[in-house]
């Protein structure tokens, strides 16, 4: 049970800390600055003649190892960004159930910060809803089976259960340090944080493989060494889903009722008609990274132009964006032929699934197309994703 505010994280990279400590450890005693010597002499005069212990303490220098407050805000990241990163990686790589992950994210970044708890209140809540049930379960299970693996896991988990209490003061207020360490202007704190989260994923995956629990945390993450890329397994009979299709579709972070119903139906169809449907995650990540380089209020719109070899194509693209919002690509608006609009009920459902209709009768430019596109771009806050099949019909 965590409580992450929108405050910035007071951190400094581990390699910077190591270099700083090593430099101080091997610093000669005569390398102090004139200001250090003057300050030491002034404090020494204030000591009484018998306070020899205090005099020895003055010879110890305390240094601040943190980015100076003058560093750019890009050199750090917010606790909310950190919570989103670990939730996304944990759910995509199957370290935790997606529904549980996003429910925890909602509580830790929206509900708990909204109440603005004091430390003692949060401590009581933690004791009531986390520590007390855990200790009760651990005690009962120890009596039932003292030497089981589950008992050992509970024992190993107990010391880290109170970490939210340790981090609570830091995650809910800002800290500003004065030091000699100023972050480089091109240092990206969020990218560094995400790299650390990915490294943690690989570390956990390595431990799981050594323990051989019988399941693979990265079953839906496929590595193709021959083409040097990583793909995500998004659907099919080989896809590992830890919850029911209905609960999964209902708890996805984006999508209207029609999109959620479509996602639920497509998950079942894909499982029966395909072994696995993969997506090149690196391409989507590269697109999201490119868009992030633009100011938020002037990001370009994106045209998605897949092949149209079957009627699955436009379904798969929308299903991928709905299934993995972590890719950073919103569910696209699909350009569909106006033939579908004339089909009773189906036409309304397709429009509800974010499709817009265009005329392709060969009589020139569709006069309503510009108005449709203007409505789409006006409805989106930043980037509109528009899916178009340039062949007009199937490939």
């Amino acid at each position: 049970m965590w409580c992450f505010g929108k405050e910035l994280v007071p951190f400094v990279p581990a390699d910077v800390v190591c270099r700083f400590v090593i430099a101080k450890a091997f610093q000669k005693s005569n390398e102090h600055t004139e200001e250090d010597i003057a300050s030491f002499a002034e404090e020494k005069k204030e000591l009484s003649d018998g306070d020899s212990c205090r005099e020895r303490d003055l010879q110890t220098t305390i240094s601040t190892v943190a980015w100076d407050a003058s560093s750019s805000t890009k050199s750090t990241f917010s606790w909310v960004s950190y919570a989103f990163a670990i939730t996304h990686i944990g759910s995509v790589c199957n370290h935790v159930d997606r529904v549980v992950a996003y429910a925890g994210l909602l509580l830790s970044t929206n509900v708990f910060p909204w109440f603005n708890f004091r430390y003692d209140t949060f401590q009581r809540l933690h004791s009531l809803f986390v520590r007390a049930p855990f200790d009760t379960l651990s005690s009962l299970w120890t009596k039932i089976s003292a030497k089981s693996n589950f008992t050992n896991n509970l024992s190993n988990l107990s010391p880290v259960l109170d970490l939210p209490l340790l981090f609570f003061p830091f995650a809910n207020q800002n800290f500003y340090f004065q030091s000699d360490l100023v972050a480089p202007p091109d240092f990206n704190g969020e990218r560094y944080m995400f790299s650390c989260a990915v490294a943690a994923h690989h570390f956990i995956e390595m431990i799981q493989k050594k323990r051989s629990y019988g399941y693979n945390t990265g079953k839906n993450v496929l590595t193709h060494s021959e083409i040097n890329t990583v793909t995500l397994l998004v659907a099919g009979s080989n896809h590992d889903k830890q919850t029911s299709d209905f609960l999964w579709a209902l708890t996805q972070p984006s999508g209207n009722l029609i999109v959620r119903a479509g996602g639920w139906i497509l998950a079942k169809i894909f499982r029966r008609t395909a072994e696995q449907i993969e997506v090149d995650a690196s391409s989507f990540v590269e697109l999201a990274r490119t868009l992030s380089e633009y100011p938020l209020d002037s990001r370009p719109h994106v045209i998605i132009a897949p092949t149209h070899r079957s009627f699955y194509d436009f379904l798969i693209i929308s299903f991928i964006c709905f299934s993995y919002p972590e890719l950073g690509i919103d569910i696209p608006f699909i350009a569909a032929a106006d033939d579908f609009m004339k089909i009773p009920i189906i036409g309304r459902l397709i429009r509800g699934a974010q499709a817009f209709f265009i005329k392709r009768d060969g009589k020139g430019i569709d006069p309503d197309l510009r108005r449709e596109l203007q409505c789409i771009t006006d409805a989106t806050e930043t980037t509109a994703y528009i899916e178009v099949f340039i062949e007009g019909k199937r490939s």
Side-chain angles (χ1 to χ4, degrees):
M1 191 173 75
W2 294 83
C3 182
F4 293 118
K6 297 182 179 180
E7 288 75 13
L8 298 179
V9 179
F11 91 107
V12 67
D15 58 327
V16 176
V17 176
C18 294
R19 293 177 184 178
F20 188 89
V21 171
I22 292 174
K24 290 295 182 181
F26 289 94
Q27 185 181 38
K28 297 180 181 179
S29 58
N30 59 358
E31 290 182 351
H32 295 290
T33 63
E34 294 182 0
E35 294 181 358
D36 294 336
I37 297 175
S39 177
F40 173 73
E42 183 177 350
E43 293 188 29
K44 186 175 180 180
K45 290 180 182 179
E46 298 176 357
L47 295 175
S48 59
D49 295 337
D51 198 357
S52 57
C53 293
R54 173 61 176 155
E55 182 176 351
R56 286 195 299 270
D57 291 341
L58 285 176
Q59 300 177 14
T60 302
T61 303
I62 299 177
S63 302
T64 302
V65 190
W67 292 139
D68 187 75
S70 62
S71 300
S72 171
T73 54
K74 289 185 177 180
S75 64
T76 185
F77 54 91
S78 67
W79 286 103
V80 171
S81 298
Y82 168 74
F84 270 89
I86 59 176
T87 300
H88 289 171
I89 293 177
S91 58
V92 168
C93 299
N94 283 3
H95 293 300
V96 63
D97 178 80
R98 180 182 291 270
V99 177
V100 175
Y102 280 100
L105 182 66
L106 177 65
L107 290 174
S108 61
T109 61
N110 289 276
V111 178
F112 291 155
W114 182 80
F115 283 104
N116 196 22
F117 291 129
R118 295 177 54 183
Y119 178 79
D120 54 349
T121 304
F122 185 76
Q123 188 177 29
R124 286 195 295 269
L125 291 173
H126 178 83
S127 176
L128 179 62
F129 293 105
V130 179
R131 174 52 70 179
F134 178 86
D135 290 342
T136 301
L137 175 63
S138 180
S139 177
L140 291 174
W141 198 265
T142 301
K143 294 178 180 179
I144 297 173
S145 179
K147 296 183 179 180
S148 66
N149 289 332
F150 186 69
T151 304
N152 293 333
N153 291 338
L154 289 177
S155 178
N156 294 332
L157 180 61
S158 182
V160 300
L161 205 64
D162 294 329
L163 282 179
L165 295 178
L166 178 65
F167 279 86
F168 182 84
F170 301 98
N172 292 275
Q173 55 186 334
N174 286 311
F175 290 82
Y176 302 95
F177 294 97
Q178 289 184 343
S179 71
D180 297 329
L181 299 176
V182 179
D186 58 346
F187 181 78
N188 190 314
E190 287 203 356
R191 184 168 296 181
Y192 178 85
M193 174 269 294
F194 192 80
S195 299
C196 291
V198 173
H201 151 65
H202 290 303
F203 180 73
I204 295 173
E205 194 176 38
M206 180 181 64
I207 293 177
Q208 297 289 4
K209 288 180 180 179
K210 288 183 178 179
R211 291 182 176 179
S212 301
Y213 274 125
Y215 64 90
N216 184 4
T217 58
K219 186 175 180 181
N220 292 335
V221 182
L222 309 177
T223 303
H224 302 278
S225 57
E226 65 276 7
I227 56 177
N228 192 28
T229 187
V230 175
T231 61
L232 292 177
L233 183 58
V234 298
S237 58
N238 293 338
H239 179 252
D240 181 29
K241 186 170 290 184
Q242 299 178 353
T243 58
S244 67
D245 293 332
F246 178 77
L247 185 60
W248 164 78
L250 187 65
T251 56
Q252 286 298 100
S254 62
N256 57 36
L257 185 60
I258 295 178
V259 170
R260 294 179 188 277
W264 171 57
I265 296 173
L266 286 177
K268 296 184 177 300
I269 293 176
F270 291 151
R271 188 178 298 112
R272 291 180 178 273
T273 58
E275 289 187 357
Q276 57 189 49
I277 296 176
E278 303 177 25
V279 55
D280 180 12
S282 56
S283 298
F284 281 83
V285 172
E286 185 63 30
L287 172 60
R289 183 179 295 121
T290 301
L291 290 175
S292 66
E293 296 175 356
Y294 290 87
L296 193 61
D297 57 348
S298 60
R299 289 182 180 177
H301 303 300
V302 175
I303 301 296
I304 302 175
T307 58
H308 200 4
R309 298 179 63 183
S310 72
F311 286 111
Y312 265 11
D313 299 321
F314 72 94
L315 299 174
I316 290 176
I317 295 295
S318 296
F319 185 83
I320 289 171
C321 298
F322 175 69
S323 301
Y324 284 96
E326 297 87 358
L327 294 173
I329 308 299
D330 294 338
I331 300 172
F333 295 89
I334 307 171
D338 61 347
D339 300 337
F340 292 99
M341 182 176 61
K342 301 173 184 177
I343 303 176
I345 301 176
I346 299 297
R348 288 184 176 273
L349 292 177
I350 293 177
R351 182 176 288 278
Q354 297 192 180
F356 63 98
F357 301 103
I358 58 176
K359 297 178 181 179
R360 55 178 189 183
D361 51 10
K363 296 181 180 180
I365 299 176
D366 183 356
D368 297 327
L369 180 58
R370 184 180 296 276
R371 179 180 56 81
E372 290 275 7
L373 293 177
Q374 187 65 45
C375 292
I376 290 173
T377 55
D378 290 344
T380 55
E381 296 181 357
T382 54
T383 299
Y385 297 88
I386 301 174
E387 185 178 351
V388 179
F389 299 97
I390 57 176
E391 297 98 336
K393 297 184 178 180
R394 280 181 291 169
S395 303

